[in-house]
Amino acid sequence: MNAPFPSTASGNDPRPPLQLLIAAPRGFCAGVDRAIEIVERALQKYGAPVYVRHEIVHNRYVVDSLKAKGAIFVEELDEVPNDAPVVFSAHGVPKSVPAEAERRKLLYVDATCPLVSKVHRQAERQIEKGQHILFIGHEGHPEVIGTMGQVPDGQITLVETVEDVATLPFTQEDDLSFLTQTTLSVDDTREIVEALQAKYPQIVAPKAEDICYATSNRQAAVKEIASGCDLVLVIGAPNSSNSLRLVEVAQRMGTDARLIQRASEIEPKWLEGVGTLGLTAGASAPEKLVREVVDRLSDWRVVTEEVITTTEEKMVFKLPRQLTE
Ligand code: SF4
C-alpha cells in the first residue's frame, strides 16, 4: 500500500524537491512497546525510583524519557539498593541475574521480550536432550550474554560468521543443535546455517525461526525501498543490533546508507545529488524521531513523502501479571 502525501510548499519555493520513501514496518516492535510500558507501569505502581538493569531498549531518547520519569539505569544488580524495584531489559538476562535478585529478595520485573524468552526455553530443552548448542549471534550483545547464560558453561558455543564454522572442533558424531539471536541479518544467518548443516548434517534446527518477526519485517521493508533510493537513513543506536542490520541490508542492495540517532546528525552535504531518500527506523526507535527527521529534511528540501508498506504488524505481548493485578 503506497500512501503519497503532497508537499505543502508553493510553486516558487527555492528548495529543491526530495522524494522520501518511508519503509513500513519500521520503528517500535511489540517487545519494545511492552518493555517501555513495563517501566512506566512499575513507576506508577511502586513509585520512583525504579531501577532498570541495562538500557531497557537500545535508544537514548527512550532511556532519557524514562530517566525523566524516575527510572535509574544501572549495569549490574549490585548497584540496586535492597529496597528498590528493578526491571530487567527487553534483551533478556542470564539465569544468574534473577537468581541473584531472589537471593537478595529484590522486587524484580522481567521485561525480557517473549520472543527472546522463547529462545531461552528452546536452549533449555536442547540441553535436556543432551545436545551441544551452536549459538549464532554477536559477541557481547546483551541478548547473547542472556541466552548463553541460560545453559551451563561449556554446553553452548558462539558462532559469529561462516568462517567460524570452519574452525568448530565438533564431529558428525556429536549431538548438536543451533539457535540464533533474534535480531540478526536474515541473509547472513541463512549462510551460516547452511555452512553448519553442510559440516554437520545431523545438527538439529530450532522448531521455528529464532529471528523475530520485527527484525525480518524491517529488513524486508528496507530491501523493498533501497534499490530505488540514492541514500537510506536508518534511525537507531550504534549498539542496536537490528538497526545496524538495516544499514547493512540497504548497503548490500548497492545503496549508500547511514545510521543516525537524531535528526540533528544529518549533514546537508549528505543530500547533495540525492533525489530519492529512503527512511526507516530500528525496532527501538520511536516514531517521533522519524517525524523529527522529516521536519529536518524539510528545512532544506520540498519533501514528498511516500510510505511503502510491505506488511502489516498486529503483534501485541501481554504485560507481566504483577503489573496488571
Ligand atoms: S526486536 Fe524482536 S526480539 Fe527484540 S524486542 Fe522486538 S520483537 Fe522482541
Side-chain angles (χ1 to χ4, degrees):
M1 182 185 71
N2 295 348
F5 296 88
S7 156
T8 53
S10 67
N12 55 8
D13 196 307
R15 295 168 299 164
L18 180 73
Q19 177 75 12
L20 182 64
L21 303 183
I22 306 182
R26 65 181 174 278
F28 277 6
C29 59
V32 163
D33 265 334
R34 174 178 181 269
I36 294 168
E37 195 172 351
I38 285 175
V39 179
E40 286 173 340
R41 288 211 183 204
L43 283 162
Q44 283 162 14
K45 181 162 178 173
Y46 306 121
V50 165
Y51 283 73
V52 183
R53 186 188 175 279
H54 195 71
E55 288 186 335
I56 185 75
V57 300
H58 285 155
N59 187 276
R60 177 94 343 241
Y61 178 88
V62 171
V63 167
D64 287 345
S65 313
L66 292 172
K67 270 187 192 165
K69 293 178 185 172
I72 296 177
F73 289 83
V74 296
E75 279 310 306
E76 292 303 337
L77 277 192
D78 56 16
E79 299 166 67
V80 180
N82 282 339
D83 56 355
V86 58
V87 176
F88 302 151
S89 82
H91 312 97
V93 290
K95 276 192 169 165
S96 56
V97 172
E100 170 67 4
E102 273 159 35
R103 193 190 62 73
R104 285 181 54 198
K105 300 192 170 42
L106 291 178
L107 172 59
Y108 71 88
V109 188
D110 189 355
T112 302
C113 175
L115 299 182
V116 174
S117 301
K118 189 191 83 177
V119 179
H120 290 182
R121 288 194 300 272
Q122 289 193 84
E124 284 173 344
R125 280 197 298 271
Q126 289 173 338
I127 294 298
E128 276 163 22
K129 288 180 184 157
Q131 295 161 355
H132 184 97
I133 300 171
L134 301 179
F135 185 59
I136 306 171
H138 296 293
E139 186 165 20
H141 189 279
E143 183 189 329
V144 171
I145 296 168
T147 302
M148 294 188 76
Q150 300 304 307
V151 306
D153 279 350
Q155 297 189 24
I156 186 163
T157 301
L158 184 65
V159 178
E160 292 191 88
T161 60
V162 169
E163 291 70 41
D164 285 353
V165 176
T167 65
L168 291 170
F170 306 99
T171 71
Q172 294 195 355
E173 275 66 57
D174 290 319
D175 270 341
L176 298 173
S177 55
F178 74 87
L179 291 173
T180 84
Q181 193 180 332
T182 58
T183 51
L184 297 179
S185 150
V186 172
D187 296 335
D188 285 352
T189 306
R190 189 181 306 116
E191 284 174 21
I192 299 173
V193 168
E194 281 169 7
L196 283 175
Q197 289 171 329
K199 185 167 180 184
Y200 305 116
Q202 81 280 21
I203 197 166
V204 176
K207 266 196 186 150
E209 174 75 77
D210 293 329
I211 296 178
C212 77
Y213 80 98
T215 298
S216 334
N217 288 348
R218 278 150 194 69
Q219 287 176 24
V222 81
K223 240 183 205 178
E224 181 72 20
I225 61 167
S227 57
C229 296
D230 304 306
L231 171 69
V232 170
L233 295 179
V234 177
I235 305 170
N239 58 347
S240 160
S241 174
N242 80 87
S243 305
L244 293 170
R245 304 295 83 79
L246 293 176
V247 174
E248 290 169 4
V249 167
Q251 288 170 339
R252 281 199 196 152
M253 302 291 290
T255 304
D256 190 13
R258 290 174 183 268
L259 183 73
I260 53 166
Q261 300 205 64
R262 296 296 293 261
S264 56
E265 293 171 23
I266 303 171
E267 294 178 26
K269 66 172 187 243
W270 296 355
L271 301 183
E272 284 168 16
V274 172
T276 304
L277 182 90
L279 182 60
T280 186
S284 39
E287 184 63 15
K288 193 172 180 348
L289 301 187
V290 174
R291 298 321 307 169
E292 189 186 85
V293 166
V294 178
D295 288 347
R296 174 110 172 130
L297 293 170
S298 304
D299 288 343
W300 305 306
R301 306 287 282 269
V302 177
V303 176
T304 303
E305 294 181 43
E306 192 176 340
V307 177
I308 309 292
T309 304
T310 45
T311 190
E312 304 279 350
E313 289 180 346
K314 297 197 173 70
M315 189 78 84
V316 179
F317 296 132
K318 278 192 202 151
L319 292 169
R321 214 175 298 143
Q322 72 205 97
L323 294 177
T324 55
E325 283 171 344

